Amino acid sequence: FSSVTSILNMSIFKDQFVLEDLIQELKKKSTALSFGPLQSNGHISVQGSFPAIKLLRDSLLLKAKSLSEKDKGEESKSHQRPRRRLQQHRLTTETSNFVYDADGEKQVVVLDTDIYHYMKYFYPRTFLVSDDVVISNITDGDITTVYIEKAGSRSDAEQVLRVKEKIENRSLRLHNALRKERIYFEEHTGDEKRRYKRACESLKPHYPHVLIIPYNTHIDVVGNSSEIFEFIKEV
């Protein structure tokens, strides 16, 4: 939870910007992130908190979208232009999903999957909305994407935005507080898994703020660092 690393491919911007200048601009805007050296192929490593990486990603997608729209009225005059357009089109498609649509009717929040599970279990009211708003989600490994949309013509786009902000604010607070530890099963037998499950269930009342997520090969324990350390030791 404390730090993630992402490799950015900045080469799609090289026809419009001096990449070194663009990186300097990003560094000024994203002071919470640490940038590695720019590689000759346009790749650069970025490290920092999950929310800060996500904000950087959104801003780059918007920049790619604006370039793509500017290109729409121009004729292609080089062999490189069509290929670059294809790359930008893929980014533009993502932008419409990950930022918001033109009318503000659809908002998206990208969450760490463990934080999403923790919020659903301990803060279910965060996802409790009126009939005018619909929430759905798609989980892909470590990332869960939450979609907030208007339910009908009477719905207000501001309601959708308020729900998004509520989810984001809660996730940011949890991001700073939560840690995760993993208990691996030494054997993969049903008996051993049941023993671990019974141990976790018997200890759970003593650790009301710890979330237990069982899997086939391990159990994830999510909570503040001191509690999950004691919990795992007792298990």
Side-chain angles (χ1 to χ4, degrees):
F1 289 98
S2 56
S3 181
V4 292
T5 301
S6 177
I7 305 296
L8 299 180
N9 180 6
M10 303 297 290
S11 63
I12 65 160
F13 295 111
K14 66 184 179 184
D15 289 346
Q16 285 85 7
F17 301 100
V18 176
L19 290 186
E20 288 80 2
D21 294 343
L22 180 57
I23 297 299
Q24 289 303 317
E25 178 191 333
L26 295 177
K27 286 180 179 179
K28 289 178 183 177
K29 289 182 178 178
S30 308
T31 53
L33 294 173
S34 174
F35 290 79
L38 180 65
Q39 305 297 320
S40 58
N41 61 0
H43 289 195
I44 186 168
S45 173
V46 186
Q47 188 174 41
S49 71
F50 184 83
I53 290 280
K54 192 248 177 189
L55 286 173
L56 175 65
R57 181 182 186 276
D58 286 350
S59 68
L60 286 172
L61 288 173
L62 282 174
K63 191 179 287 289
K65 183 180 182 182
S66 67
L67 291 176
S68 177
E69 288 173 346
K70 198 166 82 171
D71 278 351
K72 281 178 183 175
E74 298 177 2
E75 287 185 0
S76 176
K77 293 183 179 179
S78 74
H79 295 298
Q80 295 297 319
R81 186 65 63 105
R83 186 171 60 188
R84 186 169 51 78
R85 264 193 189 157
L86 285 174
Q87 292 173 325
Q88 288 173 351
H89 175 70
R90 288 199 295 272
L91 288 171
T92 305
T93 304
E94 281 188 297
T95 304
S96 64
N97 289 334
F98 277 86
V99 186
Y100 49 81
D101 64 12
D103 301 321
E105 294 181 355
K106 183 177 185 178
Q107 297 284 345
V108 174
V109 184
V110 182
L111 300 173
D112 180 287
T113 296
D114 293 313
I115 288 180
Y116 172 75
H117 286 316
Y118 198 92
M119 289 171 67
K120 286 282 285 185
Y121 188 85
F122 289 107
Y123 301 97
R125 291 180 65 84
T126 307
F127 299 97
L128 192 65
V129 293
S130 67
D131 294 337
D132 296 331
V133 178
V134 175
I135 292 182
S136 59
N137 72 278
I138 296 175
T139 296
D140 181 11
D142 293 336
I143 302 296
T144 293
T145 307
V146 179
Y147 298 89
I148 308 112
E149 302 177 66
K150 288 168 63 173
S153 57
R154 292 188 305 156
S155 303
D156 184 356
E158 287 189 9
Q159 286 179 290
V160 174
L161 189 59
R162 282 195 297 270
V163 172
K164 180 197 177 191
E165 289 174 348
K166 183 171 67 170
I167 294 172
E168 280 185 331
N169 291 337
R170 175 68 69 184
S171 70
L172 282 171
R173 287 197 293 271
L174 291 176
H175 182 276
N176 294 326
L178 295 180
R179 298 291 180 267
K180 177 174 78 171
E181 291 290 343
R182 181 165 288 178
I183 303 172
Y184 287 99
F185 299 138
E186 294 173 8
E187 307 164 9
H188 296 289
T189 63
D191 285 344
E192 191 204 26
K193 293 175 185 178
R194 283 190 289 272
R195 283 200 304 274
Y196 271 106
K197 190 176 179 181
R198 283 198 299 269
C200 289
E201 287 173 352
S202 66
L203 290 169
K204 184 72 175 73
H206 303 289
Y207 298 88
H209 302 297
V210 167
L211 178 65
I212 303 158
I213 310 174
Y215 295 94
N216 282 333
T217 57
H218 62 273
I219 295 173
D220 281 346
V221 183
V222 182
N224 72 54
S225 56
S226 60
E227 279 202 329
I228 61 175
F229 175 77
E230 290 298 325
F231 181 87
I232 287 178
K233 192 166 71 171
E234 290 200 43
V235 169

